[in-house]
Amino acid sequence: MNITASDVQDAKLTATVTIPAAEVDAAIKKAYKAMAKQYRFPGFRPGKAPRAVIDSALGSEAARAQATNELIGSNEGAVLNELDIVPVKEGNYENIELAQDGTDYTYVVEFTLRPAPVLSSYEAVAIEMPPAEVTEAEIDSQVEMLMGYHSTFEDVERGIADADFVTLDIENVKNAEALAGEGRMYAMGSQSLPEAFEAGLLGLNVGDEKEISWTPEGAEEATVKVVVKTVKERKVPELTDEFVKESFDFESVEAMRDAIKIEIEADKNSKLPSLKESRAVAKLAERLELEEMDADYEQSVFSELGQNFLQNLSARGMTLDTWLSANGLTSEAFIADLHQQANDVARESLALDALARELKIEVTEEDIDNEFASAGIQDVAASKAAFLADGRMPAVRDSIRRSKAVDWLVEGAEVTEVDEYAKAAEKDAE
């Protein structure tokens, strides 16, 4: 097989593929053999009808059309591997002619690729990270969370405030079926409600009625009518040695704080590396010189994220409808959020691609072998052969290039440590 490719123009690459006559003849012969077995031809046993009979019954182009589809389909993986590309959608095969006996077969296919924008800078990124050491503010936050589990809620005669626990009758006026219901209970500040909806509740007293409207991202305006049934204030017990011993089985408050510190240290050791990576990549993506994401590439990322999400739900024994209902989301809001995630992932991927091009990162066979081995593949050679046959090896090389770009990015990142829990506490105190 011979492949020639055009230069990439507007994220389009045109490839001219020529398949040798011997392979063409074999494909046509195979097509006739398959048709002879598939169809019944009077006077002939299954699989024994000659070409002339098949052509007379099905048309002279039937077997050639089947052979042409086989030639193109069976060679697509090899074409993608040879060009080392990952198209964002199916190749565009136009003006395809049928293969002929005894001659080479040539066809043209156009592939749509992801865009290749540049970065405004290729210098090291500057990011903020939590301190490597455990801080008192972090321990305070965990203590507050644990004490919150023992909170009680008492009826109050005042307007709804932050952190209150409220009971509402909610009537759907338009586009808010998921929220409607009687006796719906919510914890203010839990982020289980739309932000604009929660803001509309602030200050309402028991018995008050109000219509609240908001516009979810990517969806139409929603409106509900609420009636406040109860307002309860959260009461947190006093933190004492006695309470800690009785409720958490620690000898003292200090002992509890020491145990919490050990847990936070373990959590930081496991999570800080990935947090540093994600923040460095996000900062790099801010440098991407691309005003609007390419629709085809965003859609390909959107589809992949959606498939992964549905597979994860299925593994947990859940359907999408069940998950949406449990989280108080409409399908429109879910799709809008998934598109936003796809846009973010696409921008980060393109930023890493740009960095990899600038660094002239190469991928060796050893890199590929290590990639398969690290994924727990037992028979690396067989898996590589399958990826080659399916045309998936370019995607593996892309993944390795991006991983190497991430390693370079993280290693050179300029890090400023910020105690985010202390900052949040100071903000709450203001």
Side-chain angles (χ1 to χ4, degrees), residues 47-225:
K48 298 300 182 179
R51 290 181 58 163
V53 172
I54 296 174
D55 287 346
S56 177
L58 302 178
S60 61
E61 295 183 345
R64 290 167 51 214
Q66 183 168 314
T68 300
N69 289 335
E70 172 67 18
L71 288 168
I72 292 175
S74 62
N75 283 285
E76 185 175 51
V79 172
L80 297 177
N81 288 322
E82 178 68 23
L83 299 174
D84 195 22
I85 59 173
V86 182
V88 298
K89 59 182 182 180
E90 295 293 328
N92 183 16
Y93 297 86
E94 290 189 351
N95 303 318
I96 294 296
E97 296 182 354
L98 299 184
Q100 299 280 358
D101 290 280
T103 182
D104 294 346
Y105 177 62
T106 299
Y107 65 93
V108 176
V109 54
E110 181 185 72
F111 293 109
T112 300
L113 309 180
R114 60 182 179 270
V118 298
L119 301 178
S120 59
S121 170
Y122 295 88
E123 300 298 323
V125 296
I127 60 173
E128 292 184 349
M129 286 288 294
E133 301 295 326
V134 179
T135 68
E136 291 300 308
E138 290 171 329
I139 298 174
D140 290 342
S141 177
Q142 290 297 305
V143 170
E144 182 180 346
M145 181 187 70
L146 291 174
M147 294 297 291
Y149 295 149
H150 293 267
S151 297
T152 58
F153 291 88
E154 299 178 2
D155 289 316
V156 292
E157 296 181 358
R158 58 164 172 74
I160 297 172
D162 291 331
D164 283 345
F165 193 86
V166 299
T167 306
L168 311 168
D169 288 346
I170 304 177
E171 177 185 343
N172 174 42
V173 177
K174 61 177 181 180
N175 302 321
E177 295 87 353
L179 290 181
E182 295 184 355
R184 302 297 295 267
M185 296 179 288
Y186 294 105
M188 298 291 288
S190 64
Q191 299 181 338
S192 62
L193 297 170
E195 184 177 348
F197 178 86
E198 189 167 303
L201 295 175
L202 293 175
L204 297 182
N205 289 278
V206 173
D208 285 351
E209 299 182 7
K210 183 179 182 180
E211 277 199 2
I212 303 174
S213 298
W214 70 98
T215 303
E217 186 175 353
E220 297 180 355
E221 183 184 58
T223 301
V224 296
K225 179 181 178 181

Side-chain angles (χ1 to χ4, degrees), residues 7 13 27 41-42 58 62 64 69 91 100 117 148 219 254 318 352 363:
D7 293 333
L13 180 148
F41 298 95
L58 302 178
R64 290 167 51 214
N69 289 335
Q100 299 280 358
E254 192 61 33
M318 294 183 68
L352 289 173
V363 177

Side-chain angles (χ1 to χ4, degrees), residues 259-380:
I260 290 174
K261 180 179 180 180
I262 292 173
E263 289 186 2
I264 295 176
E265 283 178 339
D267 190 58
K268 282 193 169 190
N269 288 336
S270 65
K271 292 182 178 179
L272 282 184
S274 61
L275 179 63
K276 183 178 181 181
E277 177 180 310
S278 63
R279 290 191 176 182
V281 173
K283 184 64 68 172
L284 183 75
E286 295 176 6
R287 300 175 178 177
L288 193 68
E289 295 194 341
L290 182 69
E291 293 184 3
E292 185 175 352
M293 179 54 60
D294 177 78
D296 289 328
Y297 183 46
E298 190 272 346
Q299 183 61 40
S300 70
V301 177
F302 172 84
S303 297
E304 183 176 355
L305 291 178
Q307 290 172 3
N308 290 339
F309 183 79
L310 292 176
Q311 288 173 358
N312 289 335
L313 282 185
S314 179
R316 292 158 53 190
M318 294 183 68
T319 65
L320 179 59
D321 287 341
T322 302
W323 185 87
L324 290 174
S325 177
N327 288 273
L329 291 173
T330 64
S331 58
E332 292 80 8
F334 168 74
I335 290 173
D337 181 67
L338 194 61
H339 271 297
Q340 182 58 56
Q341 291 181 46
N343 191 283
D344 293 341
V345 171
R347 293 188 68 86
E348 291 179 355
S349 297
L350 294 180
L352 289 173
D353 290 342
L355 180 59
R357 289 193 298 272
E358 176 70 15
L359 298 175
K360 296 181 173 56
I361 290 176
E362 296 182 354
V363 177
T364 66
E365 281 301 312
E366 183 180 2
D367 291 329
I368 295 173
D369 289 343
N370 290 338
E371 184 78 2
F372 279 89
S374 64
I377 303 298
Q378 297 297 319
D379 192 338
V380 171

Side-chain angles (χ1 to χ4, degrees), residues 3-18:
I3 305 170
T4 59
S6 69
D7 293 333
V8 178
Q9 297 289 338
D10 298 325
K12 306 284 187 183
L13 180 148
T14 300
T16 301
V17 182
T18 300

